[in-house]
Amino acid sequence: MPTVSVKQELLFQALGRRYTDEEFDELCFEFGLELDEITSEKDIISKEQGDGKAEGASDIILYKIDVPANRYDLLCLEGLVRGLQVFKERIKAPRYKRIMPANGDVQRLIITEETAQVRPHAVAAVLRNITFSKDRYDSFIDLQEKLHQNICRKRALVAIGTHDLDTISGPFTYTARPPSEIRFKPLNQSKEYTASEILDLYRTDSQLKHYLHIIENKPLYPVIYDSNGVVLSMPPIINGDHTKISINTRNVFVECTATDITKAKIVLDILVTMFSEYCEKQFIVEAAEVTYLNGKTCIYPELAYRKEKVKPDLINKKIGISETPSSLAKLLTRMCLKSHVTGNGNNIEIEIPPTRADIIHACDIIEDAAIAYGYNNIQMTIPKTYTIANQFPLNKLTELLRQDLAAAGFTEALTFALCSQEDIADKLGVDICSTKAVHIANPKTAEFQVARTSLLPGLLKTIAANKKMPLPLKLFEISDIVVKDSTKDVGARNQRNLCAIYYNKNPGFEFIHGLLDRVMQLLSVPPSKESGYLIKAAEDSAFFPGRCAEILAKGQSIGKLGVLHPDVITKFELTMPCSALEIKIEPFL
Amino acid sequence: QDVAQKYPEGRLLMLNYDPPVRSPQVIEAEQRSSKRWELTPEGQEIVQEGSHEARVFDSIPAEGLPQSELMKLPSGKVGFSKAMSNKWVRLDKNADGGPRIFRAVESVRDSVREKLQLVQQGEAESLEEKDRNELKKRKLLMEVVIKTYWIRKGSAFSTTVTKQETDLTPEMIASGSWRDLKFKAYNFAALGIMPESGHLHPLLKVRTQFRQIFLEMGFTEMPTNNFIESSFWNFDALFQPQQHPARDQHDTFFLQDPAEATDFPMDYLKRVKKIHSQGGYGSQGYKYDWKLAEARKNILRTHTTAVSARMLYRLAQQEKFAPAKYFSIDRVFRNETLDATHLAEFHQIEGVVADYGLTLGDLMGTLREFFTKLGISQLRFKPAYNPYTEPSMEVFSYHQGLQKWVEVGNSGVFRPEMLLPMGLPEGVSVIAWGLSLER
């Protein structure tokens, strides 16, 4: 969930009233936001770097507000305030409009076909006669960063560039060139570099280094030029220094390059709807024309208003309320979804503004009606759904066996299903290739390389971590292991195993054997060759030679028991003899 | 004290005697302690032979004694320095044949010896405290604490010794001798011996309780014994777009082997592809290029909702829809580095109800019943965002200990974009909620 940090003072100023922390927290909760933290720059610095470093930092109070991941329109102070003010019916939702420039001289961006190989889409717009202040400017930069981190998927899907239009002249060309041919002065640098040099320059940059991989291995890098060959930006890495915007910038050229055109349009819409508030003509955005080489031309930003019709009855039924159509329309209007009743009250027509790209289905509209109604005002009811409960048979058997194993004096362990290759192979004296283990491609640590193929390593590790406990240690676990199985759609399946272990100064084979007998007794399987269970000598690298037996029941081998091999004991950093039992329990269902 | 002196071997026994319990006693003993000053062995020597300094003074003849000779005397070192500070002797460093000691006064009074004699006669109290401390410092005196017991006949006094029995035996019962025997009292203040037993894991005990609650509410348990899941069932079926951050390498464990799932219900998969890339069923969709390769990728399931999706798909394949209530409690996996607040695997608890005409109020009512059974009564609901539920609500409960509202679960109504491609009838709503067992 993205977190937006706003100055308390600016927020209250914009909201036109003051709130206590509790009141504001309450308002957030109602609206689906979360006032996560009340802090200041000074607090943040001293928390992260120690009190000493915080000296001189600002102690202006900051509200950190968690915003739902799909509400891009609430990612800056401007949007938050607009949303809350409309919610509280203090203002009406503004109407965003795209216009062609008065002189007809529209800014043009031409996309060449080379971009198709690396980053094929671009959209653009102009914020004309904007007035920045320090706070507005900071918010403008912050919003771009928030969008980059969220909907833009760390610039992989969309990258935003904003430029001082008065320093450049169109038409602009969005193309892709070999890195050696691109040369410009990057933002806030003092000299020119080639594209390859720029990548090297930012390899250690704490922020920009995360974006280099997006284009690094491509033969061509995307780049935007103006008509005089000035570099506006090399997306998604860095803008040129030449077009840098400042507090004094009056006209902003916004471009978004993308691999996902839908997201690029949303990002552009959000950025211009939020900041056209500060344009001379409020909420009016100047269009830009994007031309593909095949001649196709698009006008951006789209700023499209979409109309949906939803039956009031459906809204009431889905929420469990009974509001009149007009009051439902009013609730929706409070969520920036301008609505009115049509067709004799049988329908509500809802206008979805360009800021609400999250509204993609009637259910999103219904949710907004419920939020405006107040979740906690909805009458709680119990569904009439009549059903008979059933346990999953395997879990039922597991529950029954667990109780009885504990009653037999063994203590239940709960161990991880993931482990290292070493745990299930080397340490048990087997080759990893001979296990049917499932391998993880991207573990962060060696502890999670594979899914376990046996419960034994987990129990041995549990004993190793509890060596100070009085002997004997008697543990068990009934849980799933995972093995490859090509008959399954995903190529693997779980298997429910029962594992028990006896750790003492003597191996205690008879105790483990006795436990097997008890388990079989509980399962009503008699010790018999024909129809019951029996154990017979077997070889297994995990067990001491001559001290291992295979368990046969239900006409199949269900597992093994025996005295563990001293090598196994040593490899798990244990010192005492130990016997163990591991069987699968599914045959007994 | 007298008795102890009379029977010296009994003294030790008495000192160790510490009655464990108050019960009728043969003799009653009361502890008393007193302090006494005694001479150390060195102090006793001084009483007999005189103090070291007096002995030094006495050993010096009129013509004096070379210092080296004097130091050889048994009391030489200590005696010399004390005699010097008393100004009883003097030292001539320039005498012929090396430094020489002479008497400085005619006669001396050995007050140290006199004081120690007083102590020996039991009159230590007549010494000034300052003197006693001085002598104690010189290790000539010591203070002895004497613990004594004042004994008298107890309520169970008898002149014949009967051995008390420790416990009842089978023989006593057989012979009836227990009638005439005296038994030692039990110490009821002591703890008993813990019974030998195994234990169930505490977290899994809680799992059992949750299972019980679901079963009481008529929910059927889902088969969640499949840790490996395809991205299709874990994400795509739930209308979670392929660029969603949860599908990132940083958050999810992908499999190297078996890397891909091979078998899908193809008709359904086509409908899923369409709803993502083009929309449909009244939805705009996400309008992106949906790729089968991405859906094929095997992962360790990130939520049990993947199983719910399979179950709901199965439900939709029935000839005639029958309402269902499902639950599961099982492991889910996230690609985390372990620390105090992060686990790479944990248990998700999930409840699902599918029926015609379920409302948001029904979801809240079901949650209220569920949490009431857990002992959580004060609930409130916050609007939230989940990719596959809409409306979505986070469930908060008031925590008396923390004095604040804490999140206890997440819930919502499954999106039509998830349900309709499965083939569930249009009027069917599916409400669901989830929480973590570990929390």
Side-chain angles (χ1 to χ4, degrees):
Chain A
M1 209 188 281
T3 303
V4 181
S5 156
V6 294
K7 290 181 183 165
Q8 184 206 42
E9 197 53 49
L10 286 179
L11 180 71
F12 289 171
Q13 222 170 40
L15 287 172
R17 62 159 284 190
R18 303 198 67 82
Y19 289 83
T20 64
D21 292 343
E22 290 73 28
E23 283 169 345
F24 191 71
D25 182 48
E26 199 59 38
L27 175 63
C28 284
F29 193 94
E30 205 187 340
F31 193 56
L33 304 170
E34 204 169 330
L35 179 55
D36 186 48
E37 204 186 349
I38 300 166
T39 180
S40 71
E41 242 167 71
K42 200 172 189 170
D43 278 355
I44 296 169
I45 298 175
S46 54
K47 215 187 261 173
E48 284 169 1
Q49 310 170 20
D51 287 338
K53 302 269 172 129
E55 205 127 328
S58 154
D59 47 15
I60 293 173
I61 298 171
L62 294 177
Y63 278 177
K64 292 202 151 189
I65 301 168
D66 280 349
V67 175
N70 62 340
R71 292 298 299 270
Y72 315 117
D73 59 320
L74 303 177
L75 286 176
C76 59
L77 175 81
E78 290 73 14
L80 269 174
V81 167
R82 222 174 284 165
L84 288 171
Q85 292 293 74
V86 173
F87 183 58
K88 284 283 155 196
E89 295 173 282
R90 292 200 198 98
I91 60 165
K92 281 199 170 133
R95 180 137 197 118
Y96 309 102
K97 218 173 133 191
R98 176 182 80 190
I99 54 159
M100 296 308 269
N103 58 7
D105 198 3
V106 64
Q107 296 298 331
R108 289 178 58 220
L109 177 65
I110 299 151
I111 304 181
T112 74
E113 62 193 4
E114 291 87 351
T115 59
Q117 298 169 43
V118 42
R119 205 172 177 83
H121 306 290
V123 294
V126 175
L127 289 170
R128 188 65 74 178
N129 291 320
I130 195 167
T131 309
F132 282 122
S133 67
K134 177 78 172 75
D135 286 321
R136 291 172 179 183
Y137 176 86
D138 289 347
S139 178
F140 188 58
I141 303 294
D142 265 1
L143 175 61
Q144 293 176 48
E145 179 55 20
K146 288 274 163 1
L147 291 169
H148 276 149
Q149 291 310 313
N150 294 287
I151 181 174
C152 303
R153 299 287 293 117
K154 302 194 170 117
R155 301 192 189 180
L157 301 183
V158 186
I160 310 162
T162 52
H163 312 277
D164 188 336
L165 183 58
D166 299 327
T167 64
I168 39 180
S169 60
F172 307 101
T173 308
Y174 173 42
T175 183
R177 296 217 173 141
S180 56
E181 289 174 23
I182 302 170
R183 191 180 166 82
F184 67 103
K185 188 161 99 178
L187 189 64
N188 299 330
Q189 296 292 334
S190 50
K191 64 181 187 92
E192 287 194 353
Y193 297 88
T194 65
S196 327
E197 287 168 344
I198 290 171
L199 260 58
D200 286 335
L201 185 65
Y202 293 125
R203 222 165 281 284
T204 53
D205 187 286
S206 64
Q207 202 198 348
L208 295 179
K209 67 177 177 193
H210 301 294
Y211 311 125
L212 305 182
H213 73 95
I214 302 172
I215 56 165
E216 184 154 20
N217 298 319
K218 309 269 181 185
L220 304 179
Y221 287 6
V223 61
I224 302 176
Y225 294 100
D226 83 344
S227 59
N228 300 320
V230 172
V231 170
L232 276 69
S233 67
M234 183 175 81
I237 311 298
I238 190 87
N239 286 356
D241 192 63
H242 181 93
T243 62
K244 182 163 75 177
I245 63 164
S246 72
I247 295 184
N248 302 318
T249 299
R250 294 284 291 154
N251 299 300
V252 181
F253 180 67
V254 184
E255 42 84 5
C256 302
T257 56
T259 53
D260 180 326
I261 183 70
T262 312
K263 292 228 162 35
K265 291 180 198 169
I266 295 172
V267 168
L268 183 68
D269 277 354
I270 292 291
L271 198 64
V272 298
T273 50
M274 292 301 118
F275 281 87
S276 55
E277 181 176 343
Y278 303 130
C279 288
E280 200 173 75
K281 294 180 190 153
Q282 253 195 338
F283 306 118
I284 305 290
V285 185
E286 183 180 309
E289 186 184 286
V290 175
T291 311
Y292 292 84
L293 264 201
N294 64 12
K296 194 180 124 195
T297 294
C298 303
I299 304 287
Y300 292 112
E302 282 196 341
L303 295 184
Y305 282 79
R306 186 175 94 239
K307 288 214 163 78
E308 294 272 358
K309 275 188 181 155
V310 182
K311 298 218 177 301
D313 197 37
L314 183 73
I315 300 180
N316 278 327
K317 258 172 58 188
K318 290 279 178 192
I319 301 173
I321 52 176
S322 44
E323 291 291 295
T324 62
S326 63
S327 92
L328 288 174
K330 215 168 135 193
L331 290 175
L332 288 168
T333 305
R334 280 176 54 206
M335 301 302 288
C336 291
L337 302 175
K338 204 174 143 217
S339 304
H340 62 271
V341 183
T342 61
N344 302 330
N346 285 331
N347 248 329
I348 297 179
E349 191 177 80
I350 302 119
E351 191 182 51
I352 320 294
T355 45
R356 294 298 305 274
D358 59 298
I359 306 279
I360 57 175
H361 190 276
C363 68
D364 298 299
I365 295 168
I366 293 167
E367 179 183 69
D368 271 18
I371 293 172
Y373 183 82
Y375 276 6
N376 295 292
N377 299 325
I378 298 170
Q379 184 72 37
M380 295 190 207
T381 47
I382 295 173
K384 308 258 182 300
T385 311
Y386 179 79
T387 52
I388 303 287
N390 279 307
Q391 302 188 48
F392 181 47
L394 182 59
N395 288 359
K396 184 177 180 181
L397 176 65
T398 303
E399 285 288 299
L400 291 170
L401 283 174
R402 285 173 60 228
Q403 299 282 348
D404 278 308
L405 285 179
F410 280 70
T411 290
E412 187 175 33
L414 173 61
T415 67
F416 289 136
L418 305 181
C419 59
S420 67
Q421 287 189 19
E422 209 189 359
D423 287 338
I424 54 163
D426 310 9
K427 287 185 180 176
L428 298 180
V430 293
D431 185 1
I432 187 71
C433 302
S434 69
T435 66
K436 290 193 281 176
V438 154
H439 289 255
I440 295 167
N442 58 333
K444 281 185 183 148
T445 59
E447 294 155 85
F448 306 126
Q449 290 171 321
V450 290
R452 63 185 172 196
T453 51
S454 160
L455 299 177
L456 188 59
L459 288 188
L460 289 169
K461 286 197 276 187
T462 306
I463 290 188
N466 288 283
K467 276 190 281 194
K468 60 182 186 301
M469 302 301 282
L471 294 173
L473 287 170
K474 297 187 281 184
L475 299 182
F476 80 94
E477 182 168 14
I478 307 179
S479 190
D480 287 351
I481 63 156
V482 183
V483 287
K484 283 199 282 187
D485 179 346
S486 56
T487 66
K488 297 285 169 184
D489 61 344
V490 296
R493 67 175 159 84
N494 283 21
Q495 175 182 307
R496 185 72 44 95
N497 274 16
L498 179 162
C499 184
I501 192 162
Y502 179 89
Y503 181 75
N504 202 359
K505 288 181 184 131
N506 55 306
F509 179 81
E510 62 280 16
F511 292 104
I512 279 299
H513 189 189
L515 187 72
L516 173 69
D517 294 337
R518 172 69 182 139
V519 168
M520 289 300 148
Q521 189 182 43
L522 288 164
L523 293 169
S524 303
V525 180
S528 125
K529 202 169 183 177
E530 288 73 35
S531 56
Y533 73 100
L534 78 130
I535 68 172
K536 66 170 199 196
E539 287 293 309
D540 188 308
S541 56
F543 293 95
F544 202 37
R547 298 275 185 278
C548 170
E550 190 168 22
I551 306 156
L552 303 167
K554 299 270 170 188
Q556 57 179 302
S557 167
I558 57 162
K560 287 190 180 117
L561 84 167
V563 176
L564 288 189
H565 198 287
D567 282 347
V568 174
I569 292 171
T570 315
K571 280 177 181 158
F572 281 95
E573 292 166 6
L574 297 174
T575 49
M576 303 278 170
C578 178
S579 50
L581 155 75
E582 182 159 7
I583 56 170
K584 53 182 177 183
I585 64 166
E586 267 137 315
F588 301 102
L589 277 174
Chain B
Q1 195 178 346
D2 293 344
V3 179
Q5 273 167 5
K6 226 171 176 175
Y7 305 102
E9 71 280 9
R11 181 173 166 182
L12 264 178
L13 285 172
M14 294 201 55
L15 285 174
N16 289 329
Y17 179 69
D18 191 6
V21 264
R22 285 269 152 228
S23 59
Q25 298 290 318
V26 178
I27 53 169
E28 276 173 14
E30 180 193 341
Q31 191 189 359
R32 295 175 180 187
S33 65
S34 62
K35 284 182 187 168
R36 209 173 66 186
W37 291 95
E38 277 185 5
L39 297 179
T40 61
E42 193 181 353
Q44 278 167 357
E45 182 196 319
I46 285 169
V47 169
Q48 281 167 21
E49 313 259 334
S51 66
H52 299 295
E53 53 269 36
R55 276 184 267 169
V56 162
F57 182 83
D58 289 344
S59 60
I60 298 173
E63 68 276 19
L65 196 65
Q67 191 181 19
S68 53
E69 290 280 313
L70 183 112
M71 286 303 176
K72 286 176 191 157
L73 295 175
S75 299
K77 261 186 190 157
V78 191
F80 171 68
S81 63
K82 279 284 168 194
M84 281 293 282
S85 70
N86 286 354
K87 298 204 169 76
W88 292 353
V89 298
R90 64 180 172 84
L91 171 68
D92 185 356
K93 285 188 180 165
N94 302 321
D96 292 344
R100 208 173 175 86
I101 315 287
F102 296 93
R103 288 189 178 187
V105 291
E106 282 302 304
S107 62
V108 295
R109 186 176 159 201
D110 192 351
S111 63
V112 171
R113 185 186 197 179
E114 285 169 10
K115 285 171 191 160
L116 291 177
Q117 277 166 343
L118 278 175
V119 174
Q120 197 182 36
Q121 288 153 22
E123 288 172 45
E125 296 309 310
S126 63
L127 287 180
E128 281 183 41
E129 196 179 333
K130 175 180 90 181
D131 290 334
R132 278 204 302 265
N133 287 341
E134 167 71 18
L135 293 169
K136 191 178 166 190
K137 219 171 174 180
R138 285 183 68 177
K139 298 202 171 109
L140 304 176
L141 266 192
M142 59 184 176
E143 198 174 22
V144 179
V145 178
I146 298 178
K147 276 189 181 170
T148 57
Y149 288 87
W150 190 256
I151 57 172
R152 61 175 83 85
K153 285 179 186 173
S155 57
F157 183 76
S158 156
T159 49
T160 55
V161 179
T162 42
K163 194 182 145 240
Q164 287 192 331
E165 296 297 334
T166 45
D167 245 330
L168 207 55
T169 65
E171 292 75 24
M172 292 173 192
I173 296 169
S175 67
S177 65
W178 58 271
R179 291 176 213 277
D180 308 315
L181 294 170
K182 289 220 161 22
F183 290 88
K184 267 191 189 163
Y186 275 172
N187 175 10
F188 292 114
L191 291 175
I193 294 170
M194 283 303 255
E196 263 187 56
S197 68
H199 303 275
L200 291 172
H201 192 278
L203 193 69
L204 298 182
K205 277 185 177 170
V206 180
R207 184 180 71 179
T208 304
Q209 287 171 2
F210 272 105
R211 272 185 101 236
Q212 187 61 35
I213 291 174
F214 277 116
L215 292 171
E216 284 169 13
M217 290 176 71
F219 283 66
T220 287
E221 194 168 27
M222 291 188 271
T224 45
N225 56 335
N226 59 326
F227 295 164
I228 310 301
E229 190 53 278
S230 64
S231 292
F232 178 77
W233 287 107
N234 195 85
F235 297 122
D236 296 290
L238 298 173
F239 195 52
Q240 203 153 347
Q242 296 192 325
Q243 318 86 345
H244 193 275
R247 304 182 68 155
D248 209 282
Q249 297 273 333
H250 294 291
D251 293 306
T252 299
F253 285 119
F254 285 84
L255 291 200
Q256 187 180 67
D257 180 26
E260 290 193 337
T262 48
D263 191 19
F264 302 97
M266 288 313 286
D267 279 358
Y268 170 49
L269 181 134
K270 276 183 201 142
R271 294 194 292 272
V272 169
K273 176 180 177 162
K274 184 156 180 270
I275 191 84
H276 279 251
S277 51
Q278 300 168 34
Y281 306 101
S283 174
Q284 300 290 307
Y286 292 125
K287 299 197 175 87
Y288 70 96
D289 185 12
W290 188 89
K291 294 192 177 80
L292 177 61
E294 198 60 44
R296 276 187 191 280
K297 286 182 182 169
N298 273 338
I299 58 165
L300 279 152
R301 68 168 175 229
T302 62
H303 48 196
T304 50
T305 317
V307 177
S308 309
R310 283 178 183 266
M311 292 298 285
L312 290 169
Y313 173 71
R314 201 189 291 176
L315 192 66
Q317 306 318 301
Q318 290 176 332
E319 195 100 334
K320 184 174 179 296
F321 173 81
K325 292 196 275 198
Y326 295 132
F327 83 95
S328 67
I329 310 167
D330 211 338
R331 293 181 198 240
V332 296
F333 303 84
R334 305 283 164 91
N335 196 359
E336 298 273 6
T337 308
L338 291 191
D339 64 36
T341 55
H342 293 91
L343 283 171
E345 47 185 283
F346 57 93
H347 290 76
Q348 184 186 336
I349 301 167
E350 185 169 349
V352 176
V353 185
D355 200 354
Y356 281 102
L358 294 174
T359 67
L360 205 51
D362 286 336
L363 172 60
M364 292 162 68
T366 306
L367 285 165
R368 182 189 57 194
E369 297 305 313
F370 177 79
F371 281 101
T372 303
K373 281 176 179 283
L374 271 177
I376 294 174
S377 53
Q378 237 178 318
L379 289 187
R380 68 174 186 164
F381 302 89
K382 175 181 160 294
Y385 169 67
N386 303 315
Y388 45 90
T389 58
E390 188 85 11
S392 309
M393 35 177 61
E394 281 170 4
V395 190
F396 281 70
S397 129
Y398 193 76
H399 193 291
Q400 294 293 348
L402 298 172
Q403 297 275 302
K404 64 172 188 180
W405 292 90
V406 292
E407 197 198 325
V408 291
N410 208 337
S411 68
V413 183
F414 281 136
R415 293 191 71 99
E417 292 98 325
M418 167 182 165
L419 302 179
L420 295 175
M422 288 176 172
L424 283 168
E426 186 133 9
V428 168
S429 290
V430 181
I431 57 176
W433 73 98
L435 54 156
S436 146
L437 182 65
E438 277 77 359
R439 198 179 175 103

